[in-house]
Amino acid sequence: MANPDRGLQRRDDETEIAETVATTLEPTRHKNDAADAEAITEAALRPNMSFVVPKSAESQALTMMMRTRDQLLEQRTATVNALRGHLAEFGLIAPVGLKNVERLRELIDDHPDLPELVVTMANLHFNRIDQLSEEIDTLTGRMKNHCADSPEARRLQTMPGIGPVAAMAIEAFAPDMKFFKNGRDFAAWLGLVPKQHSTGGKTRLGQTSKMGQKDIRRALIIGAMSCIAAAARRGKRCHPWLQDKLDRKPKMVAAVALANRMARQIWAMITKEQGYQPKQEVAA
């Protein structure tokens, strides 16, 4: 026959253990200064911990200008698309793109039978597009002036595919290159490396990780695509390394591979303080 006192004792022991565990976890489970200090101390003692370098006020200002320009570009694109959608309801069709806004103006002028309210609303969109374009051009001019005065930006622009916008993105968003051991670490920080699904000694590489700084990554991929497009316009073959990628892979895959190579070359250019050298070896 089971002893009821033993069952009660067991339940009391389990309750005491649960209370002890809860009391032990209580200080670290909640958000307070003591828990934060303990977590910071524990993280600092780990040898492979990576820390974020604080940005200077000048870098933050450049970041703000880049973000503001991107926001204005998005607003202008949204306004153009909204205008195209509204006028399409009245049978006024124009291709996609900012360059076709003038076509929409001509269509409105060619249709005097449109309701007056439609013309008024369309002019409101046109004025907003013109205002946004003027503000974007002003910021772009300031970015070009900054890149003309910055030695690092001028050095970066010696590389094909790197213009004022890409150079300023690297200067504004990238940390000190000395914190990266080599160019591959910088490319990985940008998210320009493939995902790994390796196990059992078998290497499996997937899609690009995109687990990094999106502004610089986007600028490098756009620059790589411009290099490929420029070679196609001239009717010439690209560099043998890049041409091999284009012959075997889709164009975007080749552009990402070229962007990875550009990232490693950028690391070498900044750390060695030298201009672009077409035949230089990228960092291993």
Side-chain angles (χ1 to χ4, degrees), residues 67-282:
R67 299 288 192 206
T68 303
R69 182 177 178 274
D70 290 342
Q71 181 183 12
L72 294 178
L73 285 170
E74 293 177 357
Q75 292 177 359
R76 185 176 67 177
T77 301
T79 305
V80 172
N81 291 337
L83 177 61
R84 288 182 61 254
H86 292 317
L87 295 183
E89 297 292 335
F90 295 90
L92 306 181
I93 310 297
V96 178
L98 179 66
K99 61 183 179 181
N100 296 304
V101 173
E102 293 301 323
R103 174 59 180 163
L104 292 174
R105 297 181 193 265
E106 295 174 359
L107 290 174
I108 292 178
D109 294 337
D110 294 340
H111 292 76
D113 55 336
L114 288 173
E116 181 181 356
L117 185 58
V118 174
V119 178
T120 302
M121 293 298 100
N123 289 331
L124 182 65
H125 283 75
F126 287 133
N127 294 335
R128 181 57 178 159
I129 293 171
D130 294 338
Q131 180 184 0
L132 289 171
S133 298
E134 182 178 354
E135 293 172 352
I136 292 170
D137 293 340
T138 301
L139 290 180
T140 303
R142 296 196 62 173
M143 292 170 56
K144 291 181 178 179
N145 293 335
H146 172 82
C147 292
D149 297 335
S150 172
E152 182 175 310
R154 290 199 304 268
R155 186 183 305 117
L156 290 173
Q157 291 181 81
T158 59
M159 175 184 291
I162 300 296
V165 176
M168 188 168 176
I170 296 170
E171 188 175 355
F173 296 106
D176 190 349
M177 291 295 175
K178 296 180 181 179
F179 288 93
F180 299 105
K181 184 170 59 176
N182 49 42
R184 289 186 177 183
D185 286 354
F186 178 57
W189 181 78
L190 294 178
L192 288 171
V193 295
K195 294 180 181 178
Q196 288 200 38
H197 303 279
S198 305
T199 182
K202 186 175 182 180
T203 302
R204 294 189 179 91
L205 300 179
Q207 298 177 345
T208 306
S209 66
K210 298 182 182 179
M211 298 179 181
Q213 219 296 321
K214 63 179 182 179
D215 300 272
I216 302 177
R217 182 178 65 247
R218 179 183 60 186
L220 292 182
I221 293 177
I222 293 175
M225 288 292 292
S226 67
C227 292
I228 296 174
R233 287 194 303 268
R234 292 193 299 266
K236 297 181 180 179
R237 292 177 63 84
C238 299
H239 185 276
W241 175 87
L242 179 58
Q243 191 61 50
D244 177 67
K245 296 289 187 297
L246 291 171
D247 293 340
R248 297 185 297 107
K249 300 289 185 179
K251 185 180 296 184
M252 180 54 69
V253 175
V256 173
L258 178 58
N260 182 296
R261 188 182 182 91
M262 292 169 61
R264 290 182 283 158
Q265 290 174 325
I266 288 171
W267 176 87
M269 291 167 58
I270 294 178
T271 54
K272 298 178 182 179
E273 296 184 356
Q274 64 183 15
Y276 174 72
Q277 299 178 10
K279 296 183 179 180
Q280 72 178 2
E281 295 294 333
V282 297

Side-chain angles (χ1 to χ4, degrees), residues 1-26:
M1 182 176 181
N3 187 357
D5 294 337
R6 178 176 294 181
L8 293 174
Q9 182 65 31
R10 181 179 298 173
R11 286 195 295 271
D12 292 341
D13 293 342
E14 293 175 352
T15 302
E16 183 178 357
I17 293 173
E19 292 176 352
T20 302
V21 172
T23 304
T24 304
L25 295 177
E26 191 70 19

